[in-house]
Amino acid sequence: MTGEISHAQAPPDKARVAQELVARLDQALLKADGLVKANLILIKKTGDSWTWDLSIFRKGEDSLSLFESKGRGLEYKILFKEDGELIFAFNALSRKIFKKNDEEKYENHLNTGFSFVDLAGTSYQANYNPIVQSDLDIAGKKMKRVALRPIVPYFYSKLILLLEPDTLRPTRLDFHDKDGVLYKTMNIKYGPVKVKAKQKVSKEDIVSRLEMLDLNTGAISVLEYTEVDRDVKPDPSLFELDNLNRL
């Protein structure tokens, strides 16, 4: 893109600022140890919608996500190992396990706008080279803008991160496909979420919704967090591949 400075050529202070801004994205996205409850909602352009109850068990670099619907019960389990470096999906209806390799990690899960990689909690700072670019004016408001290039390109050729200028809170992430075409946008919303920790319940103002717009289909996918329970200590056996196909 015209006007871009490669990460390798960027002045040290600019590179440091870019890294710090991307680190804010990793810090903002909810990757709490314990149990996170959420809803995954798919709203098609026709107005038809589907909803799954999502439970995310996490311990360190491993996490297990369970997707349940009211009509079918448990539909999918996804095991993420080593911060999403290894991804295994279990289809509870067919009773089959699939290992997602390379480009397969970028397939949309349950026809939503969220790919397996998007759901993995993979570190953006560790997997992308950031480039500081000029601020972007949106509806009269200047936003911080950072372009991210994948260190190992499989499908996303570039991401564009927008942050509020004053608080530096990440607010939007634009995804470009392997041809460099913008094809989906994720808006990051903040709000009160119930958090349990040390036997106490409180409301914390954290990321509460991720809204993904698929520009090709017009569908909107919403990942809405409802509860975080940091007191839950997942058993290590939850993250063993041999147990993934157990219902």
Side-chain angles (χ1 to χ4, degrees):
M1 181 181 290
T2 303
E4 287 188 358
I5 302 174
S6 72
H7 181 59
Q9 296 172 334
D13 59 332
K14 292 288 188 182
R16 178 181 57 79
V17 170
Q19 288 283 358
E20 290 175 355
L21 293 176
V22 179
R24 286 181 175 270
L25 175 62
D26 281 337
Q27 292 162 6
L29 296 177
L30 197 49
K31 291 181 283 190
D33 274 16
L35 171 62
V36 175
K37 292 281 192 178
N39 296 315
L40 177 60
I41 306 162
L42 170 61
I43 307 168
K44 291 203 169 183
K45 195 174 182 179
T46 58
D48 295 330
S49 65
W50 291 263
T51 301
W52 293 268
D53 293 327
L54 175 58
S55 300
I56 306 167
F57 295 90
R58 180 181 292 276
K59 186 174 185 180
E61 295 185 345
D62 297 341
S63 67
L64 178 69
S65 296
L66 280 62
F67 298 80
E68 300 178 80
S69 64
K70 289 179 179 167
R72 294 182 169 182
L74 178 65
E75 289 192 38
Y76 260 94
K77 293 164 71 174
I78 308 178
L79 177 63
F80 300 102
K81 304 283 289 183
E82 300 176 15
D83 266 342
E85 288 297 316
L86 299 174
I87 301 177
F88 302 92
F90 171 63
N91 184 326
L93 303 179
S94 68
R95 301 296 301 274
K96 293 181 179 178
I97 295 176
F98 303 89
K99 182 179 180 182
K100 299 297 180 179
N101 295 310
D102 302 336
E103 287 195 16
E104 293 174 342
K105 295 180 180 180
Y106 297 83
E107 295 172 349
N108 289 344
H109 179 50
L110 292 170
N111 294 316
T112 69
F114 292 96
S115 71
F116 290 93
V117 163
D118 299 336
L119 297 168
T122 303
S123 168
Y124 287 97
Q125 190 178 15
N127 290 280
Y128 290 84
N129 284 325
I131 306 163
V132 173
Q133 299 195 134
S134 59
D135 293 347
L136 185 66
D137 196 316
I138 299 179
K141 183 178 180 180
K142 287 191 180 297
M143 306 291 289
K144 290 289 182 185
R145 181 174 184 265
V146 182
L148 306 173
R149 297 265 184 207
I151 294 173
V152 180
Y154 283 120
F155 188 80
Y156 297 152
S157 63
K158 178 178 65 176
L159 307 181
I160 299 292
L161 171 64
L162 298 182
L163 306 97
E164 294 176 346
D166 300 327
T167 64
L168 296 181
R169 289 202 312 186
T171 60
R172 196 175 92 191
L173 193 60
D174 293 338
F175 298 79
H176 296 73
D177 64 18
K178 64 177 68 176
D179 297 319
V181 177
L182 173 65
Y183 79 105
K184 66 181 185 181
T185 290
M186 183 172 75
N187 289 302
I188 304 169
K189 306 290 186 179
Y190 298 81
V193 177
K194 184 168 73 171
V195 177
K196 295 180 180 179
K198 297 180 180 178
Q199 307 300 318
K200 294 182 180 179
V201 179
S202 62
K203 292 274 189 177
E204 292 186 15
D205 188 51
I206 55 178
V207 170
S208 57
R209 289 169 64 96
L210 301 177
E211 300 175 354
M212 189 78 81
L213 171 62
D214 187 325
L215 299 175
N216 292 327
T217 65
I220 298 174
S221 303
V222 179
L223 185 56
E224 182 179 43
Y225 298 109
T226 57
E227 182 180 329
V228 179
D229 193 339
R230 300 180 188 273
D231 288 337
V232 171
K233 307 297 181 186
D235 190 280
S237 64
L238 276 178
F239 311 111
E240 294 178 4
L241 180 58
D242 290 344
N243 294 329
L244 188 59
N245 62 354
R246 292 186 179 178
L247 297 176

